[in-house]
Amino acid sequence: MPADATPLASLLKGFSIEVTPRTLAQAGDLRALLPAGTTVFIAHIAGTPMAQMVQAAGALRAQGFEPQPHIPARLLRDRAELADWLARYRDAAGVRRALLLAGGVAAPAGCFADSMQLVETGLFDAMDFAGLSFAGHPEGSPDIAPEALEAALRWKQALAQRTAAQVELVTQFAFEAAPILSWAEQIAAAGIDLPLRVGLAGPAKLQTLLRYGLSCGVGASLKVLQRRAGDLGRLLRPITPDAVAADLAQALGRIAALHLFPLGGIAAAAEWARAARS
């Protein structure tokens, strides 16, 4: 670490950020907001036309960023459709990184129910993907039993030993660092040493954070925000992730990087990251 770099600045050095095709279109050119080469995840929400996802990836590549689309297993019909998606991303934007996840729908549209089944098609290795990210769940998941989460982590650890791609875990955002740090210690003790990219909610008003926290299944850390709901002043001004980020920065080494969810807008999240780095 350079002598003048703080732990938080070092943790933010390789941060990533998440967009949707719609929020990207509203934000326009991101070159004035984000460092060149920033990895930008593209969330694939059910109902989003594939053409819009590919267009977003192409726009990000043209601006000098690294597009990393979500690949939701339960939105895909079969292996042929997955191959088509990956080929379109590759041809339009040179995509070689993806976040693989089950997806936010209860019933699969086809033969895939989880991210592991996507990998077992062999398509990501065949298309020379350099990075495969998977969801991490520091506060558990309302849809997945704890023993299934543990088994999935062991499977992903084994995958890292048999693929040329870099495998990492990307977590949902939380509103305090303690559950994340405790989880990081627990999985390390179980032999899981995959790089951790920890989610952080960008600056946003309290009502916005509460709404997203409830809809995304954030666990016990949501109570930190709920206790603030009676403070009228906090309802009127954006809440920043300064405290959570500072606590996470003390675990530099166990945590590889931060991933920003721009719940209050891409510009606000990017400006917070710029200020925190400096």
Side-chain angles (χ1 to χ4, degrees), residues 96-169:
R96 295 183 64 233
R97 305 184 66 86
L99 170 63
L100 281 56
L101 66 171
V105 295
C111 62
F112 301 121
D114 59 50
S115 59
M116 295 173 285
Q117 292 172 331
L118 297 178
V119 174
E120 296 295 0
T121 64
L123 287 168
F124 294 94
D125 279 340
M127 293 194 178
D128 228 10
F129 265 64
L132 298 176
S133 302
F134 295 91
H137 302 277
E139 299 188 271
S141 169
D143 304 317
I144 310 173
E147 56 272 19
L149 288 176
E150 293 174 12
L153 282 175
R154 289 193 294 272
W155 185 92
K156 291 160 189 173
Q157 179 71 29
L159 170 66
Q161 309 306 314
R162 61 181 172 87
T163 179
Q166 181 186 34
V167 178
E168 69 171 7
L169 299 176

Side-chain angles (χ1 to χ4, degrees), residues 1-23:
M1 182 190 308
D4 59 347
T6 66
L8 179 54
S10 297
L11 194 58
L12 278 163
K13 184 176 180 181
F15 82 91
S16 55
I17 195 167
E18 189 151 314
V19 302
T20 65
R22 181 177 63 83
T23 58

